[in-house]
């Protein structure tokens, strides 16, 4: 623990600044542990959805609701944003703070785009299709699963925005670097969950 | 090199609210656990008083339902969990030779979140009625159709918040054990208590998210009108049972594994022998954890899963007897030929073994699906799980508390009072629960508030109630012991039991806030014992004496938990019809929820924006404190 | 802890001093796009046996997730044993919940 500070005043930033301090390494490791727990969280939500996917209570079915265009667009946005956050971490490893900030800003914009699309999609379902939380067991499960993912995206957007501010104010240090790395992990994980959502919820919903 | 950061030292209450020191957080966990354990214990005594004679009207049926629900929920989530976390906090950093946990801030956050969740749950008693659908909250009994008060909302929201705290604690201990071990302490040199806590933390990580989802679904059904468990709209109550037990069964292993760890520390110490079969102990712990995730449906045999599922889950459940048996025999072989000292911690540990075996045997009986159809929901089940949880886990915790009390508080508990509390506890325990096996076999149903006379239940119930009172007296003796000890002067030796084997006994009791002046070098299992046998006075340091970096105290975890508490209350009452227009304005428009979340996320933002540079204890101060200690 | 830490840091720097370029990650991205497109196409085209389509879609998703976790989240790099163990644990428990939901909730 006594090394934490010695390394910040060392001058030159190491190649992987997120792993320079014990604190940073602890953060990255624990975030992996947290993601293990998140896998169970989303797994249970998927399980609920799969158990209730055909319980439409005479309301709209998956096949009637979902459109390929919206799903494909949302998927593309999130996939690109995952790539831009990879570029952000690469810029961080090169100690290029300006580029790092740009890539993070692009990621946030794409995240906002995804959220906007999702809000539009949900409002279409609620208003035009009369498909709300209380319509059927299927609707409850759908909104809870996809909504939990959407809430994760929203939190990620807020989180990365705060980090962008910190990068402007404090620059890249062994304190800010682990935060950037961990937020990128979080963002990739959101994308990974979305891969399962578009497959299991939307595409399999179309298959029937 | 060392920065001279000034640190604000708090005194009194503020010190406890802002502390990030694992040793103080351990004491907070112990106090909170003691409080909830007391509440749960009083509920237990009230249940037994109601059942002392047939057709008793001591409490009403509704109150009885609330009592059994709150007794189970409080004991499992709010009583024994924090005492386990108290021991883990007090002992693990010391056993692995670390100065603190990996995340002192999160440690504090985990505690306060847990505490406010527990308080919220218990507020139900004075806010319109406690939950009444059993600690398992099976749907449809727990839906708004059958449970019309806010009781079950307190259950879903309170447990959600407390569970969040537990999850944070679990992740923190995993990281601590993975990265903070002293040089030389490989995984296979870790003390058994640290090992079992590690596995328990991993199980917390994988089990708690499942109940998080379950509670979300139930609260959405109750508050937002969702249909997860609403059969008329396509929901399915069996889904709740699955989700609950996918969490619930690992949860009981989460509880018992640390007790196994305590027993594995206490027995070798007081037998003056190293633990028999250390690696088989580790292996058995991991196997129990794995199987613990594979057997949840044995709670659901009577739902009609079909012969294939019932057979699979039967066999998997019976398999758990194998690693558990390995542990039992290892403890027996550790004692075999040892120089056993019957101190109070060792009495609890030795009492644990036969008691736990009895609970294990009825567990294998219950694992047989056809037999379970007869046992299900009778007092046989009640007897079984009290044998493993009270006779097993609580004995283990009492053993651990007596054992580590001098390390935590610097004062030895009174041995005579300790032995007295052991005898009252163990005799009372067996009187209470042994007879319940027979009550169950005779057909007495659990969770029913009374019974008719002349069914052969009367005498056995009377015996059971008398036993419960004796057990209560045993716990009271422990409390008196703790209070009496608090007034004695501090100043026990580093190794008050004289046969300490692990690192925590190499440093002063209670340890200074930095634990180890110099991080020790570990040369084998039972690191301190190894040095003792080599004739060394203490541990060999692994680093030169230098300034020690410490994290700053902070109030933010407390504030964040208050925010979550406010948001939880707001969510629960968001659909309530208030007669007061101001109340309906702030509750029905989600304003309370938003305020709570703003407090929590605002504190998170502050934590992120202002770096905690911590502060340093300089070498000169270390020397001064060294003289004092 | 101190000296071991420093040693580890220095080793890490030596091993990965060369900066990796973006090519690898762009390839992963294109690969992900292709897998996604195939999955969408399989559903839009239809006509094939449903059970086969379901398995095929799940396979596409799992491959994509594994590749992304390996490269973008660096799970394939050295020093990721604990993360891999805990991710497998998480996916395993998630899998049991999902299998349960499919086979043991309705009968």
């Amino acid at each position: 623990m006594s090394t934490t500070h010695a390394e910040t005043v060392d001058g030159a930033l190491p190649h992987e600044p997120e792993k320079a301090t014990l604190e940073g390494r602890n953060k990255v490791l624990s975030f992996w542990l947290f993601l293990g727990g998140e896998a169970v969280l989303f797994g249970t939500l998927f399980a609920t959805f799969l158990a209730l996917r055909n319980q439409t209570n005479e309301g709209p079915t998956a096949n009637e609701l979902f459109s390929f265009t919206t799903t494909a667009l949302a998927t593309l946005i999130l996939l690109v944003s995952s790539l831009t956050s990879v570029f952000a971490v690469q810029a961080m490893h090169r100690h290029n703070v300006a580029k790092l900030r740009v890539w993070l800003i692009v990621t946030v914009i794409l995240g906002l785009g995804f959220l906007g699309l999702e809000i539009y999609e949900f409002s279409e379902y609620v208003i035009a299709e009369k498909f709300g939380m209380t319509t059927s067991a299927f609707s409850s499960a759908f909104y809870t699963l996809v909504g939990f993912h959407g809430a994760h995206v929203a939190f990620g957007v807020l989180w990365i925005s705060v980090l962008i501010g910190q990068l402007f104010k404090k620059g890249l240090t062994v304190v800010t670097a682990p935060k950037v790395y961990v937020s990128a992990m979080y963002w990739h994980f959101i994308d990974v969950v979305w891969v399962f959502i578009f497959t299991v919820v939307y595409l399999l919903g179309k298959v029937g | 090199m060392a920065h001279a950061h000034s640190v604000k030292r708090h005194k009194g209450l503020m010190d406890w609210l802002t502390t990030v020191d694992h040793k103080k957080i351990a004491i907070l966990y112990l106090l909170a656990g003691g409080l909830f354990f007391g509440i749960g214990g009083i509920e237990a005594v009230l249940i037994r008083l109601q059942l002392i004679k047939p057709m008793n009207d001591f409490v009403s049926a509704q109150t009885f339902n609330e009592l059994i629900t709150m007794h189970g929920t409080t004991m499992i989530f709010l009583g024994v969990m924090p005492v386990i976390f108290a021991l883990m906090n007090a002992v693990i950093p010391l056993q692995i030779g670390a100065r603190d946990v990996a995340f002192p801030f999160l440690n504090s956050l985990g505690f306060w979140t847990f505490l406010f969740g527990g308080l919220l749950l218990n507020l139900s008693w004075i806010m319109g009625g406690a939950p009444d659908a059993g600690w398992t909250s099976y749907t449809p009994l727990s839906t708004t159709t059958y449970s019309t008060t806010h009781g079950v909302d307190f259950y879903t929201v309170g447990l959600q918040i407390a569970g969040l705290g537990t999850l944070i604690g679990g992740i923190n201990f995993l990281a601590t054990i993975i990265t903070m071990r002293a040089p030389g302490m490989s995984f296979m040199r870790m003390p058994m208590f640290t090992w079992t806590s590690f596995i328990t933390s991993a199980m917390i990580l994988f089990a708690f998210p499942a109940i998080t989802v379950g509670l979300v679904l139930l609260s959405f059904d109750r508050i937002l009108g969702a249909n997860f468990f609403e059969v008329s709209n396509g929901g399915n109550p069996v889904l709740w049972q699955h989700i609950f037990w996918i969490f619930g069964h690992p949860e009981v292993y989460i509880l018992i594994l640390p007790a196994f760890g305590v027993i594995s520390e206490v027995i070798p110490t007081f037998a003056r022998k190293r633990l028999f079969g250390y690696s088989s102990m580790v292996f058995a712990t991991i196997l129990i954890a794995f199987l613990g995730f594979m057997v949840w449906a044995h709670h659901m045999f009577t739902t009609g899963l079909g012969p294939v599922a019932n057979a699979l889950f039967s066999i998997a459940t019976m398999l758990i007897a194998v690693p558990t048996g390995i542990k039992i025999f290892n403890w027996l072989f550790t004692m075999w030929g040892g120089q056993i000292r019957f101190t109070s911690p060792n009495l609890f540990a030795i009492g644990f073994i036969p008691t736990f075996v009895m609970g294990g045997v009825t567990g294998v009986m219950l694992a047989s699906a056809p037999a379970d159809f007869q046992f299900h929901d009778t007092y046989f089940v009640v007897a079984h799980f009290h044998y493993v949880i009270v006779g097993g886990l609580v004995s283990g915790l009492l053993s651990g508390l007596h054992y580590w009390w001098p390390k935590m508080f610097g004062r030895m508990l009174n041995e005579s009072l300790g032995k007295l509390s052991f005898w009252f506890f163990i005799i009372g325990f067996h009187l209470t629960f042994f007879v319940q096996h027979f009550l169950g076999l005779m057909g007495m149903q659990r969770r029913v508030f009374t019974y008719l006379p002349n069914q052969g239940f009367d005498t056995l119930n009377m015996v059971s109630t008398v036993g419960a009172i004796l057990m209560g007296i045993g716990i009271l003796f422990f409390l008196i012991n703790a209070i009496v000890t608090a007034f004695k002067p501090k100043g026990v030796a580093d190794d008050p039991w004289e046969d300490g084997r692990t690192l925590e006994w190499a440093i002063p009791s209670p340890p200074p806030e930095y634990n180890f002046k110099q991080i020790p070098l570990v040369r084998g299992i039972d690191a301190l014992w190894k040095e003792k046998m080599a004739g060394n006075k203490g541990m060999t340091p692994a680093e030169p004496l230098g300034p020690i970096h410490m994290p700053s105290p902070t109030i933010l975890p407390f504030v964040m938990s208050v925010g979550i508490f406010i948001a939880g209350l707001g969510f629960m009452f968001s659909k309530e019809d208030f007669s007061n227009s101001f109340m309906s304005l702030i509750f029905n428009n989600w304003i309370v929820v938003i305020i709570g979340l703003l407090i929590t996320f605002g504190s998170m933002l502050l934590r992120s924006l202002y770096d905690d540079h911590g502060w340093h204890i300089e070498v000169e101060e270390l020397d001064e404190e060294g003289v004092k200690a | 802890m101190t000296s071991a830490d420093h040693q580890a840091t220095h080793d890490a720097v030596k091993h990965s001093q060369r900066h990796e370029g973006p090519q690898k990650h762009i390839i992963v991205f294109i690969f992900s796009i292709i897998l996604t497109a195939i999955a969408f196409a399989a559903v839009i085209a239809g006509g094939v046996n449903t059970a086969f389509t379901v398995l095929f879609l799940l396979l596409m998703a799992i491959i994509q997730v594994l590749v992304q976790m390996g490269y973008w989240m660096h799970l394939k790099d050295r020093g990721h044993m604990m993360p891999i163990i805990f991710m497998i644990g998480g996916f395993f428990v998630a899998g049991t919940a999902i299998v349960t939901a499919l086979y043991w909730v309705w009968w």
Side-chain angles (χ1 to χ4, degrees), chain B residues 562-596:
Chain B
V562 172
I564 299 176
F565 177 86
I566 295 172
L569 265 184
F571 179 61
M572 276 180 49
F573 288 98
S574 56
K575 301 288 174 186
E576 178 83 350
D577 282 323
F578 290 98
S579 47
N580 179 327
S581 64
F582 173 70
M583 292 290 269
S584 15
L585 172 78
I586 58 168
F587 275 95
N588 297 355
N589 297 311
W590 304 96
I591 292 175
V592 179
V593 178
I594 293 167
I595 291 173

Side-chain angles (χ1 to χ4, degrees), chain B residues 34-45:
Chain B
L35 169 74
F36 291 125
F37 193 89
I39 295 173
I42 292 168
E43 284 155 2
V45 170

Side-chain angles (χ1 to χ4, degrees), chain B residues 159-183:
Chain B
L159 285 191
Q160 191 72 273
I161 297 172
L164 187 67
T166 307
L167 186 63
I168 292 172
I171 293 179
N172 194 3
F173 278 109
L174 284 173
T176 305
I177 295 171
I178 293 173
T179 65
M180 308 287 281
R181 284 168 289 129

Side-chain angles (χ1 to χ4, degrees), chain B residues 464-487:
Chain B
S464 184
T465 302
V466 171
I469 290 165
L470 290 182
M471 199 166 30
I473 294 173
I475 298 290
L476 275 182
F477 274 124
F478 173 66
L479 267 183
I480 293 169
N481 199 353
I483 293 167
V484 169
T485 307
F487 289 106

